[in-house]
């Protein structure tokens, strides 16, 4: 079979033992640490007898390995179980929240590409000029800002002081594109600033490295216009490492940027991670771990494919 | 795929209609009351959950046999009148006539039997109810007879307990809905429309509502749905909630903070009010291990070291109140003894003296505290400073919520900062966590147990008053726990909202409220 | 010519120059490059301020002063006061101690076992190496947040839990890097030659593998330091940090959320402090890396 397909299959197959290990580890972990979903549900209002009663009803008094095997059996059939806390199916919960996180991350990515790539390019082309220095300073500062702090400052400035952007009543972009976007602007800026800076640096250094290469000199010698040289040759090759890094970051972010989602009250996957952890909602936690790992591998796969597409040497090599 | 021509027209028309409806200002017909709550609900079957937001929203949809009155005492709601047999073991409840469920069915005794049996079978209170109730039967369509295992003066209050409340469902409702209640069907003035997760819980006026003509009090009495629709909007962050109120995105905002009172003072268009709530923070000692276990003098030292006024000032910005007793002010059974708090003013000298007498040598004592709501760590900090001032070496430990519950459940702590939400009977305040048979703290006091038993067995009000006075006195000498302060209950509403009743119990009552333009 | 601020990780490792020569180069590089100088200055002043905090005669960072709450920044309280009347400047400076210390301890906590494991994985048989690396893969895939909450639940919230959690998160990365270096070193000709000549294994490891690993790890750590500082702040921000009244940058930010409208300065200054430290550490780390990267020897 073609090497690409074999590569993909190998990756997917390698994922399985990791998922196994992760699910066992997280199952064990959540049990080892103090905290009981029944207790959390009762919220300290119950007597010890009520706690025991509730645990029995939730099926929490059965031995660990039995519960794990039962969970495993269901997962293989595609059933991730139900949340202990609010009886929704874990799959439904994930499906419902995923678009929010996805739109947040995509918007952040979009911002970073729209600002970061040109910034990096300009920085490289006008190397050591004031443009370059300003860009690099901004980049450095942006890399240092904690995203949740930036988010707080943005809220203060735009929502509270200037009253420009709304805070309440989050609407999913799926239901209403325009309103949904308004709620995503601030959080994606907070999230995207770091990405923008990262991308700008990457593009700058890659472009610089590429511009020093022989084939660029050849292209110029051939009489090609500077713009063609820049875009068709330099940028394209420079984007390769950028794609890798951005892909990895995106994978991480899609796992749920818990802090930003909590701050901006967005019902995304990240917020679910925190809520599930605090409630010791084991089925949800297990489901989330599966989701995050699978997503991560998928993204890596896509990135590699993109890489192959962009770098002709890999395509035909 | 839209293949046929007519479907295309239909789709276009539908889309147009949808867009039209989506356009601002045209959407709902009639008046809408938008209430911002501090989170989303988690379950619509109130028998199965103790999470308070579920009841804040859904007690507008469901009714109970008895419910909390304005003064936190139980009052008949779905019950018209009731009698208790002379031996105190059989309660005969006569239901109100003609009460309709949202499904159109009329309330009868079989629904009550079903609902109570359901609660006994599953849920956080199933054990409690099983232990209390021997049998429930429908004597006739409007009469329910409940027989208890033993005399319990707080039985009616238990039925009125809003925590995992005994709401009444139509007979067989859970089975009709496939085993779990997913769509609430109740008898309240509002009926459930939809729940869009983390977005809105929508209720609408129940046209067939049967009004109870008794005076309005708490959850009972004359409750009219004067708006067509009620939207509960979950907004977890309090500053965002306040901002939403300010901008008019919502009409009422629950659970605001004390700063908001300052901020919005005198601002036209809205009112942000605070009153000392019924909920109060308390400090509980651990009796399974630790330094307070066999040392009442040390516990008393703690009591004298605490400056409740300072905590009120620091943490509630003066909007709360010191809690003088184990039951809230204004509730039935709160007597003059309760009002006279010997620990009302701090006495650092006495505290230091007691420390020496107790043999305290400066060991580190860990104070466990909730992390959320954030008042608790703040109270902990202030307490720590006060303890430091009398020479007690206290370290605060905040555990993440679930771990903290486990610590509480295990009873392995020195002392523990927590709070008590409104409960319908004084017996529950004193005894739920402190009677040796039901406590996780390890507290064992024969006299305390005896008094708790008496509180349940004594049916006459005057006698009960005496029991609760005795309990308070015992509480203050043996000090298994120390009531600290009433937390402030802060809400805000816009001026176009008429009739909003700010209740210190913290529940949002959407009835008898109108929204002007 | 290479960019003054580089990003890619170092590639092949030729035989290491002697220790003295290397640090001398670092120093020269630092002096030459203005940005890295600025970075170093920031880092050093931060460390000094943090160390000296108790000696500066500041207001107490923990003593309550209800009468003085929510004062906006001005003379007497340059950063204002917080909800319990405590001086924010004082809290930020004392908070620096905890935050910086936490990050340093995390780094060392991850580096010590990390380097050891990495070297073992690098020089041992395929089987042992395989087991170690599989374990590391597992650890790396584990969501860091889950780990942090788990540790906080088991040990109580606080800096100790954050250090342990973050240490575990960074351990696999260090092991990976170290193993990579170890592998490339023992593949070098001079090492193979020495081995053929009968040099005992452990001595080879100590004299060739270890120094290389250390220098690479130091570079990695200088990069991670900033990340760890941010992570510590983020975890405290979620409520897992040091319980009151001890200030850390993260937990001051956590408390400040409630008062963001009345007293935004409580959030502003610790955030600036974090940003500044991260900036300085990034610059400094880049400079160290550039200096250590043999390709850039000019």
């Amino acid at each position: 079979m073609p090497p690409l397909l074999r590569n993909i299959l190998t990756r997917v197959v390698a994922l399985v033992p990791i998922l196994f290990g992760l699910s066992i580890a997280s199952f064990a972990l959540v049990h080892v640490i103090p905290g009981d979903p029944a207790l959390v549900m009762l919220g300290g209002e119950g007597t010890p007898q009520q706690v025991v009663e509730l645990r029995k009803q939730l099926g929490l008094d059965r031995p660990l390995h039995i519960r794990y095997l039962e969970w495993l059996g269901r997962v293989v059939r595609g059933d991730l179980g139900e949340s202990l806390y609010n009886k929704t199916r874990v799959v439904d919960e994930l499906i419902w929240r995923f678009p929010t996180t996805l739109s947040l991350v995509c918007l952040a990515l979009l911002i970073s590409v729209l600002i970061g790539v040109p910034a990096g390019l300009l920085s490289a082309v006008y190397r050591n000029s004031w443009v370059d220095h300003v860009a690099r300073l901004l980049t450095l500062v942006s890399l240092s800002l904690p995203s949740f702090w930036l988010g707080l400052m943005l809220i203060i400035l735009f929502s509270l002081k200037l009253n420009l952007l709304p805070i309440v009543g989050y609407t999913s972009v799926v239901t209403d594109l325009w309103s949904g976007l308004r709620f995503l602007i601030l959080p994606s800026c907070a999230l995207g600033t770091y990405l923008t800076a990262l991308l700008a640096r990457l593009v700058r250094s890659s472009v610089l490295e590429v511009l020093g290469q022989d084939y660029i000199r050849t292209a110029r010698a051939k009489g090609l216009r500077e713009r063609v040289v820049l875009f068709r040759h330099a940028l394209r090759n420079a984007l390769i490492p950028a794609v890798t890094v951005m892909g990895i970051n995106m994978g991480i972010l899609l796992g749920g940027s818990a802090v930003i989602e909590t701050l901006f009250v967005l019902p995304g996957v990240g917020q679910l991670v925190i809520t599930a952890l605090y409630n010791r909602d084991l089925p949800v936690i297990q489901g989330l771990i599966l989701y995050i790992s699978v997503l991560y591998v998928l993204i890596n796969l896509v990135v590699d494919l993109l890489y192959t597409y962009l770098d002709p040497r890999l395509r035909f090599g | 795929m839209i293949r046929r021509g007519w479907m295309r027209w239909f789709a276009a028309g539908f889309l147009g209609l949808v867009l039209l409806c989506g356009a601002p200002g045209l959407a709902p017909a009639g008046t809408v009351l938008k209430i911002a709550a501090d989170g989303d609900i988690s379950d619509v079957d109130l028998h199965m959950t103790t999470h308070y937001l579920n009841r804040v929203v859904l007690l507008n949809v469901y009714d109970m046999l008895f419910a909390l009155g304005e003064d936190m005492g139980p009052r008949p709601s779905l019950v018209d009148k009731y009698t208790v047999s002379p031996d105190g073991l059989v309660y005969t409840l006569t239901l109100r006539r003609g009460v309709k469920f949202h499904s159109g069915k009329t309330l009868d005794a079989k629904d009550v039997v079903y609902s109570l049996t359901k609660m006994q079978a599953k849920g956080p209170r199933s054990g409690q109810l099983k232990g209390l109730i021997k049998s429930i039967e429908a004597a006739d369509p409007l009469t329910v007879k409940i027989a208890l295992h033993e005399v319990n003066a707080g039985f009616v209050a238990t039925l009125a307990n809003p925590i995992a409340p005994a709401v009444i469902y139509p007979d067989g409702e859970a089975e009709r809905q496939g085993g779990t209640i997913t769509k609430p069907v109740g008898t309240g003035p509002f009926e459930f429309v939809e729940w869009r997760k983390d977005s809105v819980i929508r209720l609408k006026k129940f046209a067939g509502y049967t009004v109870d003509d008794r005076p309005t009090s708490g959850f009972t009495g004359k409750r009219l749905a004067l708006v067509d629709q009620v939207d509960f909007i979950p907004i977890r962050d309090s500053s965002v909630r306040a901002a939403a109120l300010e901008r008019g995105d919502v009409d009422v905002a629950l659970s605001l903070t004390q700063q908001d009172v300052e901020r919005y003072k005198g601002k036209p268009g809205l009112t942000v009010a605070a009153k000392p709530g019924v909920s109060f923070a308390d400090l509980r000692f651990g009796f399974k291990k630790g330094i307070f276990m066999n040392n009442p003098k040390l516990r008393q030292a703690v009591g004298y070291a605490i400056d409740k006024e300072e905590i009120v000032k620091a943490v509630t910005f003066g909007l709360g109140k010191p809690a003088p007793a184990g039951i809230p002010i204004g509730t039935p059974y709160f007597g003059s003894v309760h009002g006279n708090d010997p620990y009302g003013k701090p006495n650092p000298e006495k505290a230091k003296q007691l420390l020496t007498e107790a043999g305290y040598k400066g060991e580190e004592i860990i104070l466990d505290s909730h992390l959320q709501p954030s008042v608790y760590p703040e109270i902990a900090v202030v307490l720590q400073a006060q303890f430091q001032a009398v020479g007690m070496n206290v370290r605060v430990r905040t555990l993440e919520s679930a771990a903290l519950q486990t610590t509480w459940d295990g009873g392995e702590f020195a002392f523990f900062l927590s709070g008590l939400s409104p409960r319908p009977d004084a017996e529950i305040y004193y005894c739920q966590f402190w009677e040796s048979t039901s406590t996780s703290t390890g507290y064992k006091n024969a006299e305390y147990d005896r008094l708790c038993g008496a509180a349940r067995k004594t049916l006459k009000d005057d006698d009960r008053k005496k029991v609760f006075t005795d309990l308070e006195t015992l509480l203050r000498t043996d000090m298994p726990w120390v009531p600290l302060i009433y937390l402030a209950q802060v809400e805000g509403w816009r001026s176009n909202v008429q009739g909003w009743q700010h209740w210190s119990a913290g529940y949002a009552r959407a009835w008898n409220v109108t929204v002007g333009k | 010519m290479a960019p003054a601020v580089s990003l890619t990780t170092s590639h092949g490792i030729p035989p290491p120059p002697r220790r003295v020569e290397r640090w001398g180069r670092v120093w020269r590089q630092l002096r030459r490059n203005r940005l890295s100088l600025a970075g170093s200055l920031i880092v050093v002043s931060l460390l000094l301020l943090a160390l000296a905090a108790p000696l500066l005669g500041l207001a107490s960072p923990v003593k309550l002063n209800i009468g003085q709450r929510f004062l906006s920044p001005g003379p007497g309280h340059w950063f204002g006061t917080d909800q319990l009347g405590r001086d924010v400047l004082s809290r930020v400076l004392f908070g620096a101690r905890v935050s910086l210390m936490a990050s340093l301890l995390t780094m060392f906590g991850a580096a010590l076992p990390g380097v050891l494991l990495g070297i073992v994985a690098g020089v041992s048989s395929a089987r042992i190496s395989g087991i170690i690396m599989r374990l590391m893969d597992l650890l790396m895939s584990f969501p860091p947040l889950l780990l942090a909450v788990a540790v906080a639940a088991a040990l109580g919230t606080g800096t100790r839990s954050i250090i342990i959690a973050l240490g575990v998160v960074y351990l696999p990365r260090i092991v990976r890097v170290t193993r990579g270096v170890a592998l490339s070193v023992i593949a070098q000709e001079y090492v193979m030659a020495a081995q053929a000549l009968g040099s005992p294994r452990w001595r080879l490891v100590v004299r060739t593998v270890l120094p290389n690993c250390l220098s690479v790890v130091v570079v990695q750590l200088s990069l991670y330091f900033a990340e760890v500082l941010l992570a510590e702040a983020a975890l405290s921000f979620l409520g897992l940090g040091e319980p009151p009244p001890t200030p850390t940058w993260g937990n001051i930010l956590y408390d400040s959320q409630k008062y963001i409208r009345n007293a935004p300065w409580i959030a502003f200054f610790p955030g600036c402090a974090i940003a500044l430290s991260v900036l300085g550490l990034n610059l400094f780390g880049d400079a160290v890396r550039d200096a250590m990267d043999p390709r850039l020897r000019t």
Side-chain angles (χ1 to χ4, degrees):
Chain A
M1 75 174 81
L4 195 62
L5 203 59
R6 185 158 10 143
N7 191 316
I8 297 178
L9 268 173
T10 324
R11 300 283 201 94
V12 172
V13 167
L15 182 62
V16 175
I18 294 213
L19 284 180
F20 227 118
L22 272 180
S23 64
I24 297 184
S26 52
F27 214 84
L29 194 67
V30 179
H31 279 94
V32 160
I33 59 177
D36 183 337
L39 269 173
V40 175
M41 282 166 71
L42 284 177
E45 305 274 6
T47 57
Q49 293 91 331
Q50 291 175 340
V51 178
V52 173
E53 186 78 48
L54 194 57
R55 296 199 81 222
K56 224 180 347 183
Q57 288 171 17
L58 289 174
L60 294 175
D61 56 342
R62 292 169 303 157
L64 214 63
H65 54 277
I66 304 248
R67 290 168 59 196
Y68 177 71
L69 287 172
E70 194 190 79
W71 177 80
L72 205 61
R74 292 167 93 180
V75 166
V76 171
R77 271 174 284 152
D79 175 11
L80 288 177
E82 289 178 349
S83 157
L84 287 175
Y85 199 64
N86 64 12
K87 315 289 188 314
T88 19
R89 290 177 60 223
V90 178
V91 187
D92 291 339
E93 191 82 53
L94 284 173
I95 293 179
W96 177 70
R97 287 174 178 268
F98 183 67
T100 310
T101 304
L102 186 67
S103 27
L104 176 64
V105 172
C106 284
L107 201 57
L109 199 66
L110 193 69
I111 294 177
S112 66
V113 167
L114 285 176
I115 303 183
V117 170
L121 199 59
L122 283 172
S123 225
V125 168
Y126 297 111
R127 188 142 158 258
N128 286 330
S129 70
W130 66 270
V131 170
D132 185 23
H133 284 154
V134 164
R136 278 173 48 204
L137 193 65
L138 282 176
T139 305
L140 277 170
V141 171
S142 306
L143 277 177
S144 318
L145 297 173
S147 59
F148 49 94
W149 179 74
L150 184 59
L152 270 174
M153 297 295 120
L154 284 174
I155 290 182
I156 297 180
L157 190 59
F158 287 98
S159 292
L160 302 181
K161 289 243 177 333
L162 297 180
N163 216 358
L164 275 179
L165 288 164
I167 322 183
V168 71
Y170 170 80
T171 328
S172 167
V173 280
V174 174
T175 43
D176 181 345
L177 187 66
W178 201 235
S179 304
L181 275 179
R182 284 168 77 217
F183 292 106
L184 287 178
I185 294 180
L186 286 183
S188 35
C189 282
L191 205 57
T193 307
Y194 183 83
L195 285 176
T196 311
L198 198 66
L199 198 54
R201 285 180 99 184
L202 273 171
V203 167
R204 182 182 183 279
S205 92
S206 302
V207 168
L208 280 179
E209 196 166 319
V210 159
L211 281 180
Q213 305 273 7
D214 284 341
Y215 65 91
I216 295 293
R217 260 186 281 156
T218 317
R220 285 204 183 112
K222 266 175 32 178
L224 287 175
R225 280 183 302 162
E226 191 62 20
R227 230 178 59 182
V228 174
V229 170
L230 213 53
F231 284 105
R232 267 195 67 177
H233 295 283
L235 193 60
R236 184 144 175 193
N237 289 297
L239 280 180
I240 299 169
V243 163
T244 320
V245 174
M246 295 309 277
I248 295 180
N249 273 293
M250 217 184 133
I252 297 177
L253 288 176
L254 274 178
S257 25
V259 176
I260 294 286
E261 287 179 16
T262 307
L263 188 60
F264 287 93
V265 194
L266 298 172
V269 176
Q271 207 195 54
L272 184 62
V273 172
I274 296 195
T275 329
L277 282 176
Y278 280 130
N279 290 335
R280 300 288 192 277
D281 200 338
L282 194 57
V284 177
I285 297 177
Q286 297 288 88
L288 277 170
I289 293 188
L290 271 176
Y291 156 82
I292 294 176
S293 333
V294 171
L295 202 66
Y296 193 74
V297 169
L298 279 176
I299 299 262
N300 275 334
L301 216 61
V302 167
V303 166
D304 276 351
L305 286 174
L306 258 173
Y307 205 96
T308 315
Y309 170 72
L310 282 178
D311 189 349
R313 292 174 293 175
L314 293 177
R315 232 190 294 172
F316 304 111
Chain B
M1 292 288 154
I2 299 180
R3 278 180 253 249
R4 303 202 209 122
W6 68 267
M7 281 188 78
R8 243 185 277 244
W9 283 109
F10 180 73
F14 185 73
L15 214 66
L17 203 68
V18 165
L19 284 172
L20 215 61
C21 291
L26 288 181
T31 48
V32 183
L33 175 65
K34 298 210 197 88
I35 306 178
D38 70 338
D40 197 11
I41 61 175
S42 67
D43 198 337
V44 296
D45 183 353
L46 288 186
H47 287 173
M48 303 297 288
T49 166
T50 56
H51 184 38
Y52 86 101
L53 273 171
N54 297 336
R55 25 187 220 266
V56 163
V57 173
L58 292 171
L59 283 176
N60 287 289
V61 167
Y62 292 118
D63 281 333
M64 304 187 257
L65 291 169
F66 295 89
L68 290 182
E70 203 74 25
D71 67 349
M72 306 303 301
R75 299 170 91 97
S77 181
L78 284 176
V79 162
D80 186 23
K81 51 188 195 301
Y82 74 103
T83 58
V84 188
S85 64
D87 62 1
L89 288 173
V90 181
Y91 285 72
T92 309
L93 315 174
T94 311
L95 302 173
R96 277 170 39 219
R97 193 174 286 279
V99 176
K100 291 246 182 298
F101 280 101
H102 301 146
S103 54
K105 178 183 190 301
T106 309
L107 171 75
D108 69 44
K110 284 225 277 288
D111 303 314
V112 176
V113 174
Y114 169 74
S115 305
L116 290 179
T117 313
K118 175 179 174 301
M119 250 187 112
Q120 276 190 310
K122 257 175 103 171
R125 285 175 68 189
S126 67
Q128 180 199 48
L129 286 182
K130 264 202 285 249
L132 267 178
I133 301 178
K134 193 158 83 173
S135 70
I136 319 165
E137 60 167 277
D140 65 50
L142 282 183
T143 314
V144 182
K145 272 195 170 30
I146 306 181
L148 305 182
H149 286 296
E150 33 173 50
V151 176
N152 190 318
F155 178 61
V156 166
T158 304
L159 285 178
N161 192 342
I163 302 172
V167 299
I168 304 299
Y169 291 105
D171 188 12
E173 189 61 29
E175 288 71 25
R176 250 197 302 278
Q177 292 196 24
T180 331
I181 305 270
T182 45
K183 181 168 166 16
V185 177
T187 51
F190 292 97
E191 69 177 294
F192 177 84
V193 174
E194 65 173 328
W195 170 26
R196 276 190 277 141
K197 293 276 199 70
D198 265 330
S199 186
V200 68
I201 305 121
R202 181 156 289 157
L203 313 176
K204 76 166 193 253
K205 171 180 180 152
F206 175 41
Y209 180 62
T210 326
V211 181
D212 181 347
D213 280 314
R214 292 176 288 200
T216 323
S217 169
F219 286 116
T220 66
K222 193 162 184 173
R223 302 177 293 152
L224 300 167
L226 298 177
V227 292
D228 298 304
Q229 180 178 305
V230 181
D231 283 350
F232 280 90
I233 302 173
I235 303 179
R236 269 172 250 266
D237 188 66
S238 79
S239 46
V240 178
R241 261 196 316 282
L245 183 72
E246 192 179 348
R247 293 161 49 111
D249 291 342
V250 296
D251 304 304
V252 177
L254 305 175
S255 306
L256 294 178
T257 65
Q258 299 92 336
Q259 288 83 266
D260 296 321
V261 177
E262 263 309 301
R263 228 190 128 67
Y264 293 108
K265 213 191 290 224
K267 191 165 181 118
L270 50 87
T271 315
V272 178
K275 43 166 79 166
V278 180
S279 302
F280 58 89
D282 67 306
L283 190 60
R284 308 167 188 181
F285 295 105
F287 294 87
K288 284 194 180 157
K289 69 169 198 173
I291 199 170
F292 292 109
M293 207 166 101
N294 291 315
N295 205 332
K297 286 220 167 94
L298 194 60
R299 304 198 288 270
Q300 285 171 357
V302 167
Y304 285 115
I306 296 177
D307 183 352
K308 297 184 189 180
E309 290 281 358
E310 186 184 49
I311 303 179
V312 168
K313 242 195 317 190
V315 173
T316 70
F317 296 70
L319 297 169
K321 238 170 117 99
I327 53 179
I329 302 177
T331 59
Y333 306 114
F334 186 91
S336 53
V337 169
H338 295 88
N340 242 319
D341 186 4
Y343 302 101
K345 294 257 174 300
N347 194 335
E349 274 64 47
K350 186 128 191 233
K352 287 192 192 135
Q353 181 197 352
L354 282 167
L355 280 179
T356 335
E357 285 177 27
Y360 176 67
K361 303 226 186 330
E363 306 92 298
E364 182 188 72
I365 314 176
I366 296 185
L367 171 62
D368 283 311
S369 162
H370 279 277
L371 200 51
Q372 296 284 356
S374 54
V375 268
Y376 290 113
E378 288 172 10
I379 297 177
V381 177
V382 180
L383 279 177
Q384 189 205 32
Q386 292 171 352
F387 293 145
Q388 210 87 324
V390 298
M392 277 173 68
N393 179 7
V394 172
R395 181 164 70 92
V396 175
R397 181 171 64 183
T398 47
L399 288 173
E400 163 266 339
S401 166
L404 194 74
Q405 301 294 3
T406 308
T407 307
W408 167 248
D409 192 52
E412 306 268 311
F413 51 86
F415 53 170
F416 191 96
L417 180 62
S418 186
L420 287 168
S421 57
R423 283 145 159 86
D425 188 47
E427 186 262 336
I428 306 181
Y429 278 103
Y430 286 113
C431 307
Q432 181 182 15
F433 296 135
W434 301 102
E435 204 170 352
S436 58
T437 46
S438 67
T439 184
S440 57
T441 63
Y443 183 63
K444 278 198 200 348
N445 183 319
E447 177 65 10
Y448 201 95
D449 284 348
R450 186 190 71 77
L451 285 171
C452 277
R456 283 190 293 275
K457 302 245 184 306
T458 319
L459 292 170
K460 289 213 354 229
D461 233 29
D462 289 330
D463 296 338
R464 275 194 113 208
K465 274 206 181 64
K466 170 119 195 356
V467 173
F468 290 126
T469 309
D470 290 342
L471 266 172
E472 184 63 37
T473 316
L474 184 56
L475 174 64
R476 287 166 178 172
T477 39
D478 204 33
M479 297 207 57
W481 54 291
V482 186
L484 293 174
I485 60 166
Y486 296 111
L487 303 170
Q489 177 55 240
V490 184
E491 279 171 12
W493 57 93
R494 298 192 61 83
S495 11
N496 62 329
V497 176
Q498 311 287 345
W500 183 261
Q501 298 292 327
H502 182 194
W503 195 10
S504 51
Y507 287 93
R509 297 172 290 178
W511 49 82
N512 303 344
V513 174
T514 50
V515 179
K517 260 301 132 225
Chain C
M1 276 196 282
V5 187
S6 69
L7 316 118
T8 49
T9 53
S10 30
H11 304 308
I13 320 268
R18 290 195 342 263
R19 197 85 59 85
V20 174
E21 215 178 274
R22 218 176 328 141
W23 288 110
R25 213 187 30 243
V26 174
W27 179 236
R28 276 201 305 278
Q29 178 86 337
L30 283 176
R31 275 201 318 199
R32 210 178 318 172
N33 187 327
R34 254 181 299 160
L35 272 178
S36 45
L37 199 61
S40 332
L41 235 79
I42 295 177
V43 173
V44 168
S45 17
L46 214 67
L47 284 174
L48 282 177
L49 273 175
L51 281 172
L55 309 167
L56 292 174
L58 299 160
S60 163
V62 298
K63 193 152 178 301
L64 306 178
N65 202 338
I66 316 291
Q68 302 257 318
R69 56 170 24 154
F70 295 132
L71 296 178
S72 40
H77 291 286
W78 294 107
F79 285 0
T81 60
D82 69 359
Q83 70 274 16
L84 289 173
R86 302 173 294 203
D87 182 35
V88 177
L89 172 60
S90 168
R91 296 202 98 214
V92 170
L93 284 179
F94 276 88
R97 297 159 70 84
V98 184
S99 301
L100 289 174
M101 176 62 65
S103 309
L104 274 168
L105 283 175
T106 307
M107 301 276 67
F108 283 120
L112 239 56
V115 170
L116 237 64
L117 271 175
I119 292 183
V120 167
V123 306
S124 307
S125 67
R127 211 155 55 108
I128 301 183
S129 179
I131 296 177
I132 297 183
M133 293 321 284
R134 287 298 133 261
L135 264 166
M136 293 301 125
D137 274 339
L138 198 68
L139 264 180
M140 282 228 301
S141 332
F142 210 84
L145 194 57
L146 175 58
L147 199 59
V149 174
V151 176
L155 303 173
T157 58
T159 315
R160 184 175 60 150
S161 311
I162 293 186
I163 292 177
I164 295 177
L166 287 177
V168 173
V169 169
Y170 281 93
L171 180 70
R173 282 152 235 254
I174 297 193
V175 169
R176 260 216 180 155
V177 169
T178 314
R179 174 174 171 272
V181 176
L183 281 178
S184 59
V185 167
I186 61 175
Q188 298 292 320
E189 286 184 5
Y190 72 93
V191 172
M192 294 202 286
Q195 195 166 14
L197 287 174
S199 224
R201 202 120 185 270
W202 67 268
R203 197 194 292 179
L204 268 176
V205 168
V206 170
R207 291 184 83 196
T208 57
V209 176
L210 195 58
N212 271 301
C213 288
L214 281 180
S215 57
V216 172
V217 166
V218 162
V219 169
Q220 290 291 81
L221 286 183
S222 65
L223 293 174
Y224 287 154
F225 200 129
E227 255 181 61
V228 171
L229 197 63
L230 274 174
E232 186 267 324
L235 288 176
S236 300
F237 183 75
L238 290 173
L240 301 175
E242 193 72 10
T246 317
T248 69
W249 287 343
N251 77 10
I252 304 178
L253 275 174
Y254 173 69
D255 284 336
S256 75
Q257 287 180 86
K258 264 181 84 173
Y259 309 103
I260 199 94
R261 304 186 77 197
N262 315 44
W265 55 88
I266 308 180
F268 184 71
F269 292 108
C272 280
I274 298 177
L276 208 60
S277 321
V278 171
L279 183 64
L281 285 168
N282 272 331
L283 287 174
F284 184 67
D286 277 351
V288 169
R289 194 221 351 252
D290 288 352
M292 306 281 253
D293 188 345
R295 287 188 314 159
L296 303 176
R297 240 182 302 186
T298 40

